[in-house]
């Protein structure tokens, strides 16, 4: 479920303004097909960050990060904030996530990419902050549909919320899959 757009974080021309059709969706999928790019989007969600700040936080070469930032800007996943002066008067461009990725359609390999990104991020987290639950259930088709409707509504509500200025940042991964190991054999 797509959240209501947040006018303060949306670019002026949204994805629906682009007359690209399938080619645009494919280009968006390619832009998102990188754990590094997904991490950049997450880091720029609450505060605008410059290429140098992103490179420092990610432990990557600034030139490498700049390639990824430009790809995300080109596809309107990131938007540049006004230029600011940095140390020694240098020109810095801070970037902010537009939240367009929340509305991006699925693409082949998306779940593997999201899981890999989550594993990278949780590896950096304070172990005391990590809480996970794993549960096996059996659901009818109607129960499955009800569960997904409730989960989609809840995540949509969270995505549409304005960030709490002094709130602590968290990352959430929800995964539901058919448990192939529990399926009848034969």
């Amino acid at each position: 479920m797509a959240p209501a757009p947040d006018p303060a974080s949306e670019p002026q021309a949204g994805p629906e303004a682009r007359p690209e059709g399938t080619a645009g969706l494919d280009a968006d999928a390619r832009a998102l097909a990188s754990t590094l790019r997904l991490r950049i989007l997450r880091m720029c969600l609450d505060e605008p960050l410059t290429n140098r700040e992103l490179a420092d936080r990610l432990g990557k070469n600034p030139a490498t990060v700049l390639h990824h930032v430009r790809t995300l800007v080109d596809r309107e996943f990131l938007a540049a904030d006004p230029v600011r002066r940095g140390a020694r008067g240098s020109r810095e461009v801070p970037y902010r996530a537009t939240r367009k990725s929340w509305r991006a359609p699925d693409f082949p390999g998306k779940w593997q990419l999201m899981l890999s990104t989550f594993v990278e991020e949780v590896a950096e987290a304070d172990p005391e902050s990590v809480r996970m639950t794993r549960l096996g259930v059996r659901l009818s088709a109607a129960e499955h549909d009800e569960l997904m409707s409730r989960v989609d509504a809840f995540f949509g509500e969270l995505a549409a919320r304005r960030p709490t200025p002094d709130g602590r940042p968290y990352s959430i991964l929800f995964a539901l899959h058919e448990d192939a190991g529990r399926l009848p054999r034969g």
Side-chain angles (χ1 to χ4, degrees), residues 122-179:
V122 80
E124 295 175 357
D126 174 356
E128 294 292 319
S129 74
V130 179
R131 179 175 173 195
M132 290 188 166
T133 302
R134 188 165 179 257
L135 174 68
V137 297
R138 287 191 178 271
L139 303 173
S140 68
E143 291 168 325
H144 176 271
D145 291 347
E146 177 196 7
L147 171 64
M148 292 313 302
S149 176
R150 291 171 67 183
V151 167
D152 287 346
F154 179 69
F155 275 88
E157 175 190 320
L158 287 176
R161 251 185 224 173
R162 290 195 181 277
T164 303
D166 60 345
R168 190 158 191 82
Y170 290 96
S171 180
I172 303 171
L173 172 71
F174 170 79
L176 175 72
H177 61 88
E178 182 177 71
D179 194 344

Side-chain angles (χ1 to χ4, degrees), residues 49-161:
L49 297 172
T50 66
N51 185 65
R52 168 73 59 193
E53 290 168 331
L54 288 164
D56 288 348
R57 289 185 184 194
L58 291 162
K60 302 287 184 190
N61 180 303
T64 299
V65 174
L66 184 59
H67 163 75
H68 293 286
V69 165
R70 286 180 174 161
T71 299
L72 292 167
V73 168
D74 287 347
R75 297 306 310 159
E76 299 178 352
F77 290 106
L78 282 180
D81 274 7
V83 174
R84 65 185 185 202
R85 290 286 167 205
R88 298 178 296 244
S90 63
R91 180 180 176 270
E92 296 181 335
V93 179
Y95 299 94
R96 182 179 300 275
T98 63
R99 298 179 182 263
K100 176 184 171 186
S101 62
W102 178 251
R103 297 180 310 277
D106 287 340
F107 55 87
K110 182 178 177 182
W111 71 264
Q112 295 98 328
L113 181 67
M114 291 176 72
L115 184 58
S116 295
T117 304
F118 183 80
V119 168
E120 286 182 19
E121 291 171 340
V122 80
E124 295 175 357
D126 174 356
E128 294 292 319
S129 74
V130 179
R131 179 175 173 195
M132 290 188 166
T133 302
R134 188 165 179 257
L135 174 68
V137 297
R138 287 191 178 271
L139 303 173
S140 68
E143 291 168 325
H144 176 271
D145 291 347
E146 177 196 7
L147 171 64
M148 292 313 302
S149 176
R150 291 171 67 183
V151 167
D152 287 346
F154 179 69
F155 275 88
E157 175 190 320
L158 287 176
R161 251 185 224 173

